[in-house]
Amino acid sequence: MTVINDNSCGWLKGLQSRKNYKTLSNNLKCDYLIVGAGYTGLSAARKLSEINSTKKVIVVDAQLAGEGSSSRNSGYLVDTTLNDGFTSNKDINNYKKKVKIYKLGIRAVENFIKEYQVDCDWNECGKYFASSKIEDLFIAKRFSELLSSLNLDNKILNQQQLEKKLGTNFYKIAVLTKGGVLINPAKLVRAMVDVLPKNVELYENSPLIKWNKNNNFIDCQFEKNSIQTNKIIFCANGFLKSLNIKKNFNFPLTLTASMTRPLDDEEFKSIGEPKEWGVLPIRPMGATIRFTKDRRLLIRNTAEMKNPNSMSKYELDKRKLIHLKGLIKRFPTLKTNLIEDSWSGIVSRSRNSSQLFEMVDKNIYVAGCYNGSGIGVGTLFGEQIAIMASDQQSNEIEIINKRNKPNWLPPSPILNLGVQTRLFFERLRAKSEI
Ligand SMILES: Cc1cc2nc3c(=O)[nH]c(=O)nc-3n(C[C@H](O)[C@H](O)[C@H](O)COP(=O)(O)OP(=O)(O)OC[C@H]3O[C@@H](n4cnc5c(N)ncnc54)[C@H](O)[C@@H]3O)c2cc1C
């Protein structure tokens, strides 16, 4: 597997590039091997080293640590999601369990940034679930009632109110949920890399190619070397399926995003000088749009079954055009030379939007499949899977284990056909919202 370290991500470009990283160049043995150094793997490593200070912990990543989706996402630390289904009582119970997990996820990130004094542009401004179609009012009302029944602070806003807040009259209706937080995702994960404890060894640009369980250890093959480990924790999220982990329960999706240059004074005035905000679509497959505190717009309006490592410049440029169209239809007063950076990232999805968190076999653990909401949950699941892999228990693990488990998925090509058909119809339904 080749994973490219590119410099196309707007969040990453704002950070200093990393030097002095190590690549695996010897055969090694360890007590714990963590595969993947995003929020999940880095949080697992931090917690493991805290619990087992005398054990040898190794983290490997196929690219530079933290520079996969953990740096490439839209930065919504979510308290609630809308498109999970909440119409039947059964679903409401499921939704309650999810919200509990999201809340624990926000708390895990909050604790991390307090403990290590991390600046990741934390803004508790909530988020808007918005639509340009007035007929979506009934979805907004039903969602608002659900949130209120769970004591989650929310408010329905109309077009005039939204125009004042967002600087566009595109949206006719929205539910503002107040518990969500906006962050700079790359700053958060970079801090997780920077504070890795001394007894954790990190090897980057070192993809795990093959692994095999023997009686007493797990044998892991890399390009030129190998690692023998007593326990292994898979934290590779969108790559879990390619590593043969729970392959009938998760699949990867590729998302692309673009970020603009900062708006100039004239443009900023033309949209009413709004404060930072974040919008998620009421209709699945609609655009996610953020306005950042340094006056940039971020848009993500594509999701597809595609290998992100094969996203050529030509293909990315095509998606960039879709992003530009999405921005211009919302903000017609802006100049068209807007987009500075475009990039793609990979997420893991399950059929019923549930996450993976378990011991898959003796000494083999997995945490992942966050269905596009992994900042908080990834941080939480990373810490908690480390506790589980240390044969300990916690209240959080009890809560996580009560969630609905991911449903079985058919193998390819049936899976690909099913997902592509669903994405096609969702895109059609959300045409106005892209
Ligand atoms: C465009 C976009 C927007 C998103 N928006 C949001 C959002 O607003 N809010 C939110 O909560 N979530 C969002 N997400 C999802 C979020 O980014 C993920 O859920 C989160 O990054 C998961 O963290 P992780 O550590 O589990 O996985 P990742 O960040 O994907 O890290 C996994 C790591 O595993 C490594 N790896 C893979 N295969 C191997 C191998 N064979 N050997 C070694 N290492 C390997 C990868 O290189 C990678 O660094 C978005 C994602 C994208 C792409």
Side-chain angles (χ1 to χ4, degrees), residues 1 35-40 61-63 69-70 72-76 207-208 235-237 239 243 255 300 345 347 370 372-375:
M1 187 185 82
V35 182
Y39 304 124
T40 310
D61 200 289
Q63 56 187 322
S69 291
S70 290
R72 291 159 183 271
N73 64 66
S74 307
Y76 292 74
L208 170 65
C235 303
N237 204 39
F239 300 85
L243 287 165
L255 313 184
R300 204 268 314 145
V347 296
Y370 307 117
S373 304
I375 301 176

PDB file of all heavy atoms in Angstrom, residues 1 35-40 61-63 69-70 72-76 207-208 235-237 239 243 255 300 345 347 370 372-375, ligand 1:
ATOM      1  N   MET A   1       0.841  -1.209   0.000  1.00  0.00           N
ATOM      2  CA  MET A   1       0.000   0.000   0.000  1.00  0.00           C
ATOM      3  C   MET A   1       0.873   1.255   0.000  1.00  0.00           C
ATOM      4  O   MET A   1       1.804   1.347   0.773  1.00  0.00           O
ATOM      5  CB  MET A   1      -0.867   0.002   1.255  1.00  0.00           C
ATOM      6  CG  MET A   1      -1.876   1.111   1.265  1.00  0.00           C
ATOM      7  SD  MET A   1      -2.767   1.167   2.822  1.00  0.00           S
ATOM      8  CE  MET A   1      -1.615   2.053   3.832  1.00  0.00           C
ATOM      9  N   VAL A  35      -1.610   0.063  15.168  1.00  0.00           N
ATOM     10  CA  VAL A  35      -1.528   0.317  13.726  1.00  0.00           C
ATOM     11  C   VAL A  35      -2.413   1.509  13.399  1.00  0.00           C
ATOM     12  O   VAL A  35      -3.635   1.428  13.496  1.00  0.00           O
ATOM     13  CB  VAL A  35      -1.974  -0.922  12.922  1.00  0.00           C
ATOM     14  CG1 VAL A  35      -1.833  -0.660  11.423  1.00  0.00           C
ATOM     15  CG2 VAL A  35      -1.169  -2.140  13.327  1.00  0.00           C
ATOM     16  N   GLY A  36      -1.784   2.626  13.008  1.00  0.00           N
ATOM     17  CA  GLY A  36      -2.528   3.839  12.676  1.00  0.00           C
ATOM     18  C   GLY A  36      -2.292   4.909  13.730  1.00  0.00           C
ATOM     19  O   GLY A  36      -2.516   4.676  14.916  1.00  0.00           O
ATOM     20  N   ALA A  37      -1.822   6.084  13.269  1.00  0.00           N
ATOM     21  CA  ALA A  37      -1.522   7.171  14.218  1.00  0.00           C
ATOM     22  C   ALA A  37      -2.391   8.387  13.937  1.00  0.00           C
ATOM     23  O   ALA A  37      -1.896   9.470  13.625  1.00  0.00           O
ATOM     24  CB  ALA A  37      -0.039   7.521  14.146  1.00  0.00           C
ATOM     25  N   GLY A  38      -3.707   8.183  13.999  1.00  0.00           N
ATOM     26  CA  GLY A  38      -4.643   9.301  13.966  1.00  0.00           C
ATOM     27  C   GLY A  38      -5.116   9.529  15.406  1.00  0.00           C
ATOM     28  O   GLY A  38      -4.461   9.111  16.366  1.00  0.00           O
ATOM     29  N   TYR A  39      -6.282  10.178  15.554  1.00  0.00           N
ATOM     30  CA  TYR A  39      -6.805  10.414  16.917  1.00  0.00           C
ATOM     31  C   TYR A  39      -6.875   9.106  17.711  1.00  0.00           C
ATOM     32  O   TYR A  39      -6.544   9.064  18.890  1.00  0.00           O
ATOM     33  CB  TYR A  39      -8.234  10.972  16.877  1.00  0.00           C
ATOM     34  CG  TYR A  39      -8.433  12.227  16.080  1.00  0.00           C
ATOM     35  CD1 TYR A  39      -9.362  12.273  15.040  1.00  0.00           C
ATOM     36  CD2 TYR A  39      -7.721  13.385  16.371  1.00  0.00           C
ATOM     37  CE1 TYR A  39      -9.569  13.434  14.305  1.00  0.00           C
ATOM     38  CE2 TYR A  39      -7.922  14.549  15.635  1.00  0.00           C
ATOM     39  CZ  TYR A  39      -8.848  14.560  14.601  1.00  0.00           C
ATOM     40  OH  TYR A  39      -9.050  15.702  13.881  1.00  0.00           O
ATOM     41  N   THR A  40      -7.350   8.023  17.021  1.00  0.00           N
ATOM     42  CA  THR A  40      -7.585   6.772  17.751  1.00  0.00           C
ATOM     43  C   THR A  40      -6.263   6.157  18.226  1.00  0.00           C
ATOM     44  O   THR A  40      -6.096   5.873  19.424  1.00  0.00           O
ATOM     45  CB  THR A  40      -8.335   5.758  16.856  1.00  0.00           C
ATOM     46  OG1 THR A  40      -9.472   6.403  16.284  1.00  0.00           O
ATOM     47  CG2 THR A  40      -8.797   4.551  17.644  1.00  0.00           C
ATOM     48  N   ASP A  61       2.624   4.033  11.375  1.00  0.00           N
ATOM     49  CA  ASP A  61       1.666   4.637  10.445  1.00  0.00           C
ATOM     50  C   ASP A  61       2.219   4.558   9.025  1.00  0.00           C
ATOM     51  O   ASP A  61       3.424   4.664   8.807  1.00  0.00           O
ATOM     52  CB  ASP A  61       1.352   6.088  10.793  1.00  0.00           C
ATOM     53  CG  ASP A  61       0.035   6.515  10.137  1.00  0.00           C
ATOM     54  OD1 ASP A  61      -0.009   6.672   8.883  1.00  0.00           O
ATOM     55  OD2 ASP A  61      -0.961   6.654  10.861  1.00  0.00           O
ATOM     56  N   ALA A  62       1.301   4.377   8.086  1.00  0.00           N
ATOM     57  CA  ALA A  62       1.689   4.261   6.678  1.00  0.00           C
ATOM     58  C   ALA A  62       2.178   5.596   6.123  1.00  0.00           C
ATOM     59  O   ALA A  62       2.896   5.642   5.138  1.00  0.00           O
ATOM     60  CB  ALA A  62       0.497   3.770   5.865  1.00  0.00           C
ATOM     61  N   GLN A  63       1.743   6.700   6.750  1.00  0.00           N
ATOM     62  CA  GLN A  63       2.201   8.012   6.294  1.00  0.00           C
ATOM     63  C   GLN A  63       2.703   8.795   7.506  1.00  0.00           C
ATOM     64  O   GLN A  63       3.026   8.184   8.521  1.00  0.00           O
ATOM     65  CB  GLN A  63       1.082   8.745   5.563  1.00  0.00           C
ATOM     66  CG  GLN A  63      -0.183   8.903   6.390  1.00  0.00           C
ATOM     67  CD  GLN A  63      -1.338   9.481   5.592  1.00  0.00           C
ATOM     68  OE1 GLN A  63      -1.164  10.354   4.764  1.00  0.00           O
ATOM     69  NE2 GLN A  63      -2.525   8.966   5.832  1.00  0.00           N
ATOM     70  N   SER A  69      -6.854  11.300   7.702  1.00  0.00           N
ATOM     71  CA  SER A  69      -8.138  11.992   7.888  1.00  0.00           C
ATOM     72  C   SER A  69      -8.183  12.826   9.169  1.00  0.00           C
ATOM     73  O   SER A  69      -8.949  13.783   9.248  1.00  0.00           O
ATOM     74  CB  SER A  69      -9.279  10.980   7.916  1.00  0.00           C
ATOM     75  OG  SER A  69      -9.430  10.444   6.642  1.00  0.00           O
ATOM     76  N   SER A  70      -7.384  12.459  10.145  1.00  0.00           N
ATOM     77  CA  SER A  70      -7.411  13.235  11.395  1.00  0.00           C
ATOM     78  C   SER A  70      -7.030  14.697  11.157  1.00  0.00           C
ATOM     79  O   SER A  70      -7.426  15.574  11.921  1.00  0.00           O
ATOM     80  CB  SER A  70      -6.489  12.597  12.445  1.00  0.00           C
ATOM     81  OG  SER A  70      -7.046  11.375  12.882  1.00  0.00           O
ATOM     82  N   ARG A  72      -7.505  16.015   7.992  1.00  0.00           N
ATOM     83  CA  ARG A  72      -8.166  16.396   6.742  1.00  0.00           C
ATOM     84  C   ARG A  72      -9.667  16.568   6.890  1.00  0.00           C
ATOM     85  O   ARG A  72     -10.396  16.668   5.902  1.00  0.00           O
ATOM     86  CB  ARG A  72      -7.908  15.310   5.685  1.00  0.00           C
ATOM     87  CG  ARG A  72      -6.500  15.277   5.257  1.00  0.00           C
ATOM     88  CD  ARG A  72      -6.094  13.962   4.643  1.00  0.00           C
ATOM     89  NE  ARG A  72      -4.686  14.058   4.343  1.00  0.00           N
ATOM     90  CZ  ARG A  72      -4.204  14.521   3.195  1.00  0.00           C
ATOM     91  NH1 ARG A  72      -5.011  14.841   2.228  1.00  0.00           N
ATOM     92  NH2 ARG A  72      -2.914  14.633   3.028  1.00  0.00           N
ATOM     93  N   ASN A  73     -10.151  16.533   8.111  1.00  0.00           N
ATOM     94  CA  ASN A  73     -11.607  16.580   8.277  1.00  0.00           C
ATOM     95  C   ASN A  73     -12.110  18.014   8.435  1.00  0.00           C
ATOM     96  O   ASN A  73     -11.339  18.971   8.399  1.00  0.00           O
ATOM     97  CB  ASN A  73     -12.036  15.666   9.425  1.00  0.00           C
ATOM     98  CG  ASN A  73     -11.498  16.110  10.757  1.00  0.00           C
ATOM     99  OD1 ASN A  73     -11.869  17.160  11.258  1.00  0.00           O
ATOM    100  ND2 ASN A  73     -10.594  15.326  11.330  1.00  0.00           N
ATOM    101  N   SER A  74     -13.414  18.139   8.655  1.00  0.00           N
ATOM    102  CA  SER A  74     -14.007  19.482   8.688  1.00  0.00           C
ATOM    103  C   SER A  74     -14.005  20.107  10.079  1.00  0.00           C
ATOM    104  O   SER A  74     -14.441  21.251  10.235  1.00  0.00           O
ATOM    105  CB  SER A  74     -15.439  19.426   8.134  1.00  0.00           C
ATOM    106  OG  SER A  74     -15.436  18.821   6.872  1.00  0.00           O
ATOM    107  N   GLY A  75     -13.580  19.355  11.079  1.00  0.00           N
ATOM    108  CA  GLY A  75     -13.384  19.953  12.402  1.00  0.00           C
ATOM    109  C   GLY A  75     -14.637  20.140  13.239  1.00  0.00           C
ATOM    110  O   GLY A  75     -14.661  20.978  14.147  1.00  0.00           O
ATOM    111  N   TYR A  76     -15.694  19.354  12.975  1.00  0.00           N
ATOM    112  CA  TYR A  76     -16.896  19.423  13.819  1.00  0.00           C
ATOM    113  C   TYR A  76     -16.768  18.371  14.916  1.00  0.00           C
ATOM    114  O   TYR A  76     -16.768  17.171  14.622  1.00  0.00           O
ATOM    115  CB  TYR A  76     -18.164  19.068  13.047  1.00  0.00           C
ATOM    116  CG  TYR A  76     -18.583  20.059  11.991  1.00  0.00           C
ATOM    117  CD1 TYR A  76     -17.895  20.159  10.788  1.00  0.00           C
ATOM    118  CD2 TYR A  76     -19.687  20.885  12.179  1.00  0.00           C
ATOM    119  CE1 TYR A  76     -18.286  21.057   9.804  1.00  0.00           C
ATOM    120  CE2 TYR A  76     -20.089  21.774  11.207  1.00  0.00           C
ATOM    121  CZ  TYR A  76     -19.382  21.858  10.025  1.00  0.00           C
ATOM    122  OH  TYR A  76     -19.782  22.748   9.056  1.00  0.00           O
ATOM    123  N   PRO A 207       4.093   1.337   6.359  1.00  0.00           N
ATOM    124  CA  PRO A 207       2.810   0.631   6.288  1.00  0.00           C
ATOM    125  C   PRO A 207       2.897  -0.845   6.683  1.00  0.00           C
ATOM    126  O   PRO A 207       3.832  -1.534   6.259  1.00  0.00           O
ATOM    127  CB  PRO A 207       2.411   0.755   4.814  1.00  0.00           C
ATOM    128  CG  PRO A 207       3.668   1.078   4.074  1.00  0.00           C
ATOM    129  CD  PRO A 207       4.609   1.736   5.037  1.00  0.00           C
ATOM    130  N   LEU A 208       1.956  -1.274   7.476  1.00  0.00           N
ATOM    131  CA  LEU A 208       1.823  -2.707   7.763  1.00  0.00           C
ATOM    132  C   LEU A 208       1.266  -3.360   6.502  1.00  0.00           C
ATOM    133  O   LEU A 208       0.249  -2.915   5.959  1.00  0.00           O
ATOM    134  CB  LEU A 208       0.850  -2.907   8.931  1.00  0.00           C
ATOM    135  CG  LEU A 208       0.415  -4.349   9.195  1.00  0.00           C
ATOM    136  CD1 LEU A 208       1.593  -5.206   9.640  1.00  0.00           C
ATOM    137  CD2 LEU A 208      -0.683  -4.394  10.259  1.00  0.00           C
ATOM    138  N   CYS A 235      -6.080   0.623  14.552  1.00  0.00           N
ATOM    139  CA  CYS A 235      -6.702   1.959  14.617  1.00  0.00           C
ATOM    140  C   CYS A 235      -6.607   2.626  13.247  1.00  0.00           C
ATOM    141  O   CYS A 235      -6.324   3.813  13.145  1.00  0.00           O
ATOM    142  CB  CYS A 235      -5.987   2.820  15.657  1.00  0.00           C
ATOM    143  SG  CYS A 235      -5.957   2.092  17.292  1.00  0.00           S
ATOM    144  N   ALA A 236      -6.785   1.840  12.192  1.00  0.00           N
ATOM    145  CA  ALA A 236      -6.541   2.366  10.843  1.00  0.00           C
ATOM    146  C   ALA A 236      -7.823   2.849  10.153  1.00  0.00           C
ATOM    147  O   ALA A 236      -7.814   3.152   8.957  1.00  0.00           O
ATOM    148  CB  ALA A 236      -5.843   1.302   9.995  1.00  0.00           C
ATOM    149  N   ASN A 237      -8.897   2.930  10.876  1.00  0.00           N
ATOM    150  CA  ASN A 237     -10.192   3.449  10.416  1.00  0.00           C
ATOM    151  C   ASN A 237     -10.564   3.079   8.979  1.00  0.00           C
ATOM    152  O   ASN A 237     -10.954   1.948   8.735  1.00  0.00           O
ATOM    153  CB  ASN A 237     -10.271   4.966  10.646  1.00  0.00           C
ATOM    154  CG  ASN A 237     -11.706   5.431  10.738  1.00  0.00           C
ATOM    155  OD1 ASN A 237     -12.535   4.737  11.320  1.00  0.00           O
ATOM    156  ND2 ASN A 237     -12.030   6.558  10.155  1.00  0.00           N
ATOM    157  N   PHE A 239      -8.988   2.150   6.608  1.00  0.00           N
ATOM    158  CA  PHE A 239      -8.150   1.104   6.011  1.00  0.00           C
ATOM    159  C   PHE A 239      -8.343  -0.242   6.721  1.00  0.00           C
ATOM    160  O   PHE A 239      -7.622  -1.191   6.454  1.00  0.00           O
ATOM    161  CB  PHE A 239      -6.675   1.515   6.061  1.00  0.00           C
ATOM    162  CG  PHE A 239      -6.398   2.793   5.325  1.00  0.00           C
ATOM    163  CD1 PHE A 239      -6.584   4.023   5.947  1.00  0.00           C
ATOM    164  CD2 PHE A 239      -5.980   2.776   4.000  1.00  0.00           C
ATOM    165  CE1 PHE A 239      -6.340   5.208   5.267  1.00  0.00           C
ATOM    166  CE2 PHE A 239      -5.731   3.954   3.315  1.00  0.00           C
ATOM    167  CZ  PHE A 239      -5.919   5.184   3.948  1.00  0.00           C
ATOM    168  N   LEU A 243      -7.028  -4.252   5.784  1.00  0.00           N
ATOM    169  CA  LEU A 243      -6.168  -5.036   6.686  1.00  0.00           C
ATOM    170  C   LEU A 243      -6.908  -6.291   7.177  1.00  0.00           C
ATOM    171  O   LEU A 243      -6.484  -6.937   8.125  1.00  0.00           O
ATOM    172  CB  LEU A 243      -5.725  -4.175   7.876  1.00  0.00           C
ATOM    173  CG  LEU A 243      -4.674  -3.113   7.536  1.00  0.00           C
ATOM    174  CD1 LEU A 243      -4.549  -2.083   8.652  1.00  0.00           C
ATOM    175  CD2 LEU A 243      -3.323  -3.751   7.255  1.00  0.00           C
ATOM    176  N   LEU A 255     -13.873  11.185   0.893  1.00  0.00           N
ATOM    177  CA  LEU A 255     -14.488  12.512   0.909  1.00  0.00           C
ATOM    178  C   LEU A 255     -13.468  13.511   0.376  1.00  0.00           C
ATOM    179  O   LEU A 255     -12.272  13.349   0.609  1.00  0.00           O
ATOM    180  CB  LEU A 255     -14.886  12.918   2.326  1.00  0.00           C
ATOM    181  CG  LEU A 255     -15.651  11.907   3.195  1.00  0.00           C
ATOM    182  CD1 LEU A 255     -16.038  12.545   4.526  1.00  0.00           C
ATOM    183  CD2 LEU A 255     -16.899  11.411   2.492  1.00  0.00           C
ATOM    184  N   ARG A 300     -17.245  20.680   1.887  1.00  0.00           N
ATOM    185  CA  ARG A 300     -17.098  19.248   1.582  1.00  0.00           C
ATOM    186  C   ARG A 300     -18.436  18.793   1.030  1.00  0.00           C
ATOM    187  O   ARG A 300     -19.430  18.845   1.746  1.00  0.00           O
ATOM    188  CB  ARG A 300     -16.773  18.510   2.887  1.00  0.00           C
ATOM    189  CG  ARG A 300     -16.062  17.226   2.732  1.00  0.00           C
ATOM    190  CD  ARG A 300     -16.898  15.992   2.648  1.00  0.00           C
ATOM    191  NE  ARG A 300     -17.966  15.844   3.615  1.00  0.00           N
ATOM    192  CZ  ARG A 300     -19.116  15.272   3.324  1.00  0.00           C
ATOM    193  NH1 ARG A 300     -19.376  14.839   2.114  1.00  0.00           N
ATOM    194  NH2 ARG A 300     -20.058  15.154   4.241  1.00  0.00           N
ATOM    195  N   GLY A 345      -9.771  12.565   1.768  1.00  0.00           N
ATOM    196  CA  GLY A 345      -9.487  11.773   2.965  1.00  0.00           C
ATOM    197  C   GLY A 345     -10.429  10.593   2.982  1.00  0.00           C
ATOM    198  O   GLY A 345     -11.416  10.555   2.230  1.00  0.00           O
ATOM    199  N   VAL A 347     -12.847   7.777   5.118  1.00  0.00           N
ATOM    200  CA  VAL A 347     -13.555   7.476   6.372  1.00  0.00           C
ATOM    201  C   VAL A 347     -14.076   6.041   6.302  1.00  0.00           C
ATOM    202  O   VAL A 347     -14.110   5.437   5.239  1.00  0.00           O
ATOM    203  CB  VAL A 347     -14.745   8.441   6.620  1.00  0.00           C
ATOM    204  CG1 VAL A 347     -14.263   9.866   6.793  1.00  0.00           C
ATOM    205  CG2 VAL A 347     -15.782   8.362   5.511  1.00  0.00           C
ATOM    206  N   TYR A 370     -16.147   5.346  12.415  1.00  0.00           N
ATOM    207  CA  TYR A 370     -16.910   6.409  13.097  1.00  0.00           C
ATOM    208  C   TYR A 370     -17.938   7.077  12.183  1.00  0.00           C
ATOM    209  O   TYR A 370     -18.524   8.081  12.560  1.00  0.00           O
ATOM    210  CB  TYR A 370     -15.944   7.451  13.667  1.00  0.00           C
ATOM    211  CG  TYR A 370     -14.881   6.813  14.540  1.00  0.00           C
ATOM    212  CD1 TYR A 370     -13.531   6.872  14.194  1.00  0.00           C
ATOM    213  CD2 TYR A 370     -15.232   6.123  15.686  1.00  0.00           C
ATOM    214  CE1 TYR A 370     -12.563   6.273  14.981  1.00  0.00           C
ATOM    215  CE2 TYR A 370     -14.261   5.513  16.481  1.00  0.00           C
ATOM    216  CZ  TYR A 370     -12.933   5.594  16.115  1.00  0.00           C
ATOM    217  OH  TYR A 370     -11.983   4.985  16.894  1.00  0.00           O
ATOM    218  N   GLY A 372     -17.821   9.092   9.774  1.00  0.00           N
ATOM    219  CA  GLY A 372     -17.625  10.522   9.520  1.00  0.00           C
ATOM    220  C   GLY A 372     -17.679  11.394  10.758  1.00  0.00           C
ATOM    221  O   GLY A 372     -17.649  12.618  10.651  1.00  0.00           O
ATOM    222  N   SER A 373     -17.749  10.804  11.950  1.00  0.00           N
ATOM    223  CA  SER A 373     -17.783  11.622  13.179  1.00  0.00           C
ATOM    224  C   SER A 373     -16.771  11.080  14.186  1.00  0.00           C
ATOM    225  O   SER A 373     -17.154  10.614  15.259  1.00  0.00           O
ATOM    226  CB  SER A 373     -19.179  11.600  13.809  1.00  0.00           C
ATOM    227  OG  SER A 373     -20.134  12.017  12.879  1.00  0.00           O
ATOM    228  N   GLY A 374     -15.487  11.149  13.817  1.00  0.00           N
ATOM    229  CA  GLY A 374     -14.485  10.451  14.626  1.00  0.00           C
ATOM    230  C   GLY A 374     -13.556  11.315  15.467  1.00  0.00           C
ATOM    231  O   GLY A 374     -12.638  10.779  16.080  1.00  0.00           O
ATOM    232  N   ILE A 375     -13.767  12.630  15.499  1.00  0.00           N
ATOM    233  CA  ILE A 375     -12.813  13.442  16.272  1.00  0.00           C
ATOM    234  C   ILE A 375     -12.941  13.096  17.757  1.00  0.00           C
ATOM    235  O   ILE A 375     -11.976  12.674  18.405  1.00  0.00           O
ATOM    236  CB  ILE A 375     -13.048  14.959  16.064  1.00  0.00           C
ATOM    237  CG1 ILE A 375     -12.911  15.330  14.594  1.00  0.00           C
ATOM    238  CG2 ILE A 375     -12.079  15.765  16.935  1.00  0.00           C
ATOM    239  CD1 ILE A 375     -13.211  16.788  14.287  1.00  0.00           C
TER     240      ILE A 375
HETATM  241  C1  LIG B   1     -13.135  15.437   4.377  1.00  0.00           C
HETATM  242  C2  LIG B   1     -13.473  14.826   5.716  1.00  0.00           C
HETATM  243  C3  LIG B   1     -14.292  15.521   6.595  1.00  0.00           C
HETATM  244  C4  LIG B   1     -14.584  14.972   7.868  1.00  0.00           C
HETATM  245  N1  LIG B   1     -15.270  15.746   8.762  1.00  0.00           N
HETATM  246  C5  LIG B   1     -15.379  15.329  10.052  1.00  0.00           C
HETATM  247  C6  LIG B   1     -15.919  16.197  11.042  1.00  0.00           C
HETATM  248  O1  LIG B   1     -16.245  17.345  10.782  1.00  0.00           O
HETATM  249  N2  LIG B   1     -16.048  15.715  12.305  1.00  0.00           N
HETATM  250  C7  LIG B   1     -15.645  14.458  12.648  1.00  0.00           C
HETATM  251  O2  LIG B   1     -15.791  14.079  13.824  1.00  0.00           O
HETATM  252  N3  LIG B   1     -15.098  13.631  11.739  1.00  0.00           N
HETATM  253  C8  LIG B   1     -14.940  14.041  10.444  1.00  0.00           C
HETATM  254  N4  LIG B   1     -14.346  13.223   9.525  1.00  0.00           N
HETATM  255  C9  LIG B   1     -13.942  11.863   9.941  1.00  0.00           C
HETATM  256  C10 LIG B   1     -12.689  11.867  10.800  1.00  0.00           C
HETATM  257  O3  LIG B   1     -11.638  12.508  10.124  1.00  0.00           O
HETATM  258  C11 LIG B   1     -12.298  10.417  11.133  1.00  0.00           C
HETATM  259  O4  LIG B   1     -13.395   9.792  11.754  1.00  0.00           O
HETATM  260  C12 LIG B   1     -11.100  10.389  12.058  1.00  0.00           C
HETATM  261  O5  LIG B   1      -9.970  10.937  11.413  1.00  0.00           O
HETATM  262  C13 LIG B   1     -10.810   8.957  12.494  1.00  0.00           C
HETATM  263  O6  LIG B   1      -9.600   8.961  13.218  1.00  0.00           O
HETATM  264  P1  LIG B   1      -8.721   7.651  13.245  1.00  0.00           P
HETATM  265  O7  LIG B   1      -7.514   7.930  14.040  1.00  0.00           O
HETATM  266  O8  LIG B   1      -9.550   6.489  13.660  1.00  0.00           O
HETATM  267  O9  LIG B   1      -8.357   7.373  11.714  1.00  0.00           O
HETATM  268  P2  LIG B   1      -7.420   8.195  10.703  1.00  0.00           P
HETATM  269  O10 LIG B   1      -7.340   9.610  11.051  1.00  0.00           O
HETATM  270  O11 LIG B   1      -7.912   7.823   9.338  1.00  0.00           O
HETATM  271  O12 LIG B   1      -6.010   7.519  10.954  1.00  0.00           O
HETATM  272  C14 LIG B   1      -5.767   6.210  10.554  1.00  0.00           C
HETATM  273  C15 LIG B   1      -4.294   6.102  10.239  1.00  0.00           C
HETATM  274  O13 LIG B   1      -4.014   4.744   9.893  1.00  0.00           O
HETATM  275  C16 LIG B   1      -2.962   4.749   8.971  1.00  0.00           C
HETATM  276  N5  LIG B   1      -2.917   3.479   8.256  1.00  0.00           N
HETATM  277  C17 LIG B   1      -3.800   3.004   7.369  1.00  0.00           C
HETATM  278  N6  LIG B   1      -3.413   1.817   6.904  1.00  0.00           N
HETATM  279  C18 LIG B   1      -2.235   1.524   7.520  1.00  0.00           C
HETATM  280  C19 LIG B   1      -1.328   0.440   7.448  1.00  0.00           C
HETATM  281  N7  LIG B   1      -1.529  -0.599   6.631  1.00  0.00           N
HETATM  282  N8  LIG B   1      -0.209   0.489   8.218  1.00  0.00           N
HETATM  283  C20 LIG B   1       0.024   1.531   9.041  1.00  0.00           C
HETATM  284  N9  LIG B   1      -0.814   2.581   9.140  1.00  0.00           N
HETATM  285  C21 LIG B   1      -1.931   2.574   8.403  1.00  0.00           C
HETATM  286  C22 LIG B   1      -3.288   5.930   8.054  1.00  0.00           C
HETATM  287  O14 LIG B   1      -2.136   6.375   7.383  1.00  0.00           O
HETATM  288  C23 LIG B   1      -3.846   6.939   9.046  1.00  0.00           C
HETATM  289  O15 LIG B   1      -2.892   7.887   9.466  1.00  0.00           O
HETATM  290  C24 LIG B   1     -14.087  13.697   8.238  1.00  0.00           C
HETATM  291  C25 LIG B   1     -13.259  13.005   7.338  1.00  0.00           C
HETATM  292  C26 LIG B   1     -12.943  13.545   6.100  1.00  0.00           C
HETATM  293  C27 LIG B   1     -12.048  12.777   5.170  1.00  0.00           C
END
